[in-house]
Amino acid sequence: MSQIRTRIAGTGMNVPERVVTNDDLAQRMDTSDEWITQRSGIKTRRHADHGTTPTDIALPAIERALEMAETKKEDIDCIIAATLSSQHYFPGTAFFVQRALGHNSIPAIDLRAQCSGFLYGLQVADSFIRAGTYKKILLVGIELHSHALEFADRGRDVAVLFGDGCGAAVLEPTTDGSGVLSVHLHSEGTHAERLWLQVPALGNDPCITHQDLEEGRQYPKMDGRFVFKHACTRLPEAIMEAMSTNELTLDDVNVFFFHQANLRINELVGKMMGIPAEKAPFNIDKYGNCSAASIPMLLDECVRDGRFKRGDLGVMAAFGSGFTWASAAVRF
Ligand code: COA
């Protein structure tokens, strides 16, 4: 019998309905369609309406993934939610998702590895499945960024880049040769403050002050050029790790699923590695950077429109706050 691997049985995605264009943002801060498009490739993103929660965004994506996997929600035996925009400080978002799905005893795990969160979650799920611990894992990347961005000149460098969305996957064991072939995870906490949200935080005492609020420390801050430089180094390293571990050539890989942080970064990395543009699909133009949701959203789009078929080989790669970076090779 061939070895047990983790198969992606179904995928789903969902984004809020409200489309926000670059021109819309230019009415709220000193920016322009030209600046945003040239620097990032983003044309629109989705923003959740007031009152929407991360769980609200996640549920339709989960329903679609369950449907594709022909799995009943009662059969899910573990939930992993990768997110950096947690529904509450505690408990984790995964518990709200669990409650909404009508479960009341299965484990629900929040995973905080920012833009690499889906791949960190894939590693955790893969270990559970190969060990026989759980048999139907729901892995979701959920982000609701727009309720915590600063839509003003001070926050413009970050606010224009991020969007809301969810991507979901149902994972189960298989022995048919498909599934997760490898995952590699990395981090470098030395650079934690280069892309972070500082308060409220228990690392501060008091955890938030009026001065923090006045100075905008409750909004994400990024050293854009520093992040850009590191992303352009770490992503190729991560991709090479996936390729060499599995002895793959570029021809073997059907689709490269890059984290959607910046089209310029992905084009540069693609060029450096000789990856043909048609093998590196993107949706950042429509949705912006949806952090942990970006890769599963792109995966779902490619599965549903036939760009990524059963039997195809995909390599996924991400870089983000932490810093974190990661890659995975998956036979679909
Ligand atoms: N609109 C217009 N101007 C803006 C702006 C905006 N939204 N945000 C910043 N600017 C200004 C800056 O203030 C600066 O002005 P100055 O030259 O007068 O000081 C100028 O544009 C250039 O800023 P800079 O930060 O040097 O631009 P850049 O070419 O590095 O592009 C990023 C900025 C953020 C697009 C780019 O650094 C980047 O993509 N970094 C990586 C981001 C990323 O991947 N993050 C997520 C990782 S998961």
Side-chain angles (χ1 to χ4, degrees):
M1 196 175 88
S2 61
Q3 70 180 109
I4 295 176
R5 288 211 179 106
T6 301
R7 168 180 186 268
I8 300 177
T11 62
M13 68 160 276
N14 183 49
V15 286
E17 273 179 26
R18 187 153 54 92
V19 178
V20 176
T21 66
N22 294 341
D23 289 335
D24 292 335
L25 292 178
Q27 293 184 1
R28 301 176 69 184
M29 63 189 89
D30 182 12
T31 191
S32 65
D33 176 47
E34 192 192 1
W35 194 96
I36 300 169
T37 306
Q38 274 181 5
R39 296 292 208 290
S40 71
I42 299 167
K43 299 297 285 183
T44 61
R45 74 284 293 141
R46 302 295 182 95
H47 284 177
D49 285 334
H50 185 67
T52 303
T53 67
T55 301
D56 295 331
I57 299 176
L59 287 178
I62 293 168
E63 233 168 72
R64 288 169 193 141
L66 289 169
E67 194 183 10
M68 188 189 292
E70 297 178 354
T71 296
K72 293 200 280 292
K73 59 184 179 181
E74 305 82 79
D75 295 332
I76 294 295
D77 56 5
C78 177
I79 299 169
I80 303 175
T83 183
L84 72 79
S85 48
S86 194
Q87 187 151 328
H88 289 278
Y89 200 75
F90 74 86
T93 303
F95 303 100
F96 293 96
V97 171
Q98 188 216 47
R99 181 172 76 184
L101 291 175
H103 276 279
N104 57 15
S105 79
I106 64 169
I109 302 167
D110 263 43
L111 213 149
R112 300 187 55 178
Q114 299 64 253
C115 298
S116 307
F118 185 79
L119 299 183
Y120 268 67
L122 193 62
Q123 173 81 301
V124 172
D126 184 43
S127 305
F128 281 150
I129 284 178
R130 283 189 293 108
T133 315
Y134 303 112
K135 289 200 159 45
K136 289 268 186 197
I137 300 182
L138 176 64
L139 172 60
V140 282
I142 314 172
E143 303 292 2
L144 200 173
H145 291 306
S146 65
H147 290 181
L149 294 170
E150 187 171 28
F151 295 105
D153 290 355
R154 186 174 63 180
R156 65 181 180 169
D157 58 328
V158 175
V160 301
L161 299 177
F162 289 88
D164 303 338
C166 175
V170 175
L171 306 172
E172 63 184 21
T174 183
T175 51
D176 70 2
S178 70
V180 175
L181 306 181
S182 67
V183 186
H184 291 92
L185 307 180
H186 298 279
S187 68
E188 193 175 18
T190 318
H191 304 309
E193 290 86 357
R194 300 289 187 152
L195 175 50
W196 73 330
L197 194 152
Q198 193 178 356
V199 299
L202 300 175
N204 299 340
D205 183 16
C207 74
I208 189 163
T209 63
H210 287 294
Q211 194 181 346
D212 287 330
L213 292 173
E214 275 160 26
E215 291 174 10
R217 293 197 190 94
Q218 72 278 29
Y219 298 116
K221 296 282 182 297
M222 176 174 69
D223 182 343
R225 289 196 171 185
F226 193 85
V227 173
F228 194 102
K229 204 176 81 191
H230 280 254
C232 290
T233 311
R234 296 307 193 182
L235 283 168
E237 283 174 16
I239 295 166
M240 279 315 297
E241 226 171 356
M243 305 281 287
S244 61
T245 299
N246 299 289
E247 297 179 1
L248 301 173
T249 65
L250 289 178
D251 286 343
D252 295 323
V253 182
N254 298 93
V255 182
F256 287 86
F257 296 95
F258 287 115
H259 168 51
Q260 303 289 294
N262 185 321
L263 193 58
R264 269 168 64 210
I265 295 178
N266 292 353
E267 284 176 349
L268 259 167
V269 171
K271 220 174 252 173
M272 273 193 272
M273 305 200 65
I275 297 170
E278 62 275 15
K279 285 195 178 189
F282 61 88
N283 59 13
I284 189 171
D285 54 330
K286 291 184 289 185
Y287 304 127
N289 182 349
C290 298
S291 299
S294 279
I295 286 181
M297 284 167 58
L298 184 63
L299 173 66
D300 182 60
E301 281 195 337
C302 290
V303 166
R304 286 179 193 268
D305 68 16
R307 278 178 288 174
F308 194 55
K309 297 183 271 303
R310 286 284 169 208
D312 280 357
L313 188 72
V315 167
M316 303 170 178
F319 177 88
S321 158
F323 288 159
T324 56
W325 62 102
S327 65
V330 178
R331 175 81 61 194
F332 185 51

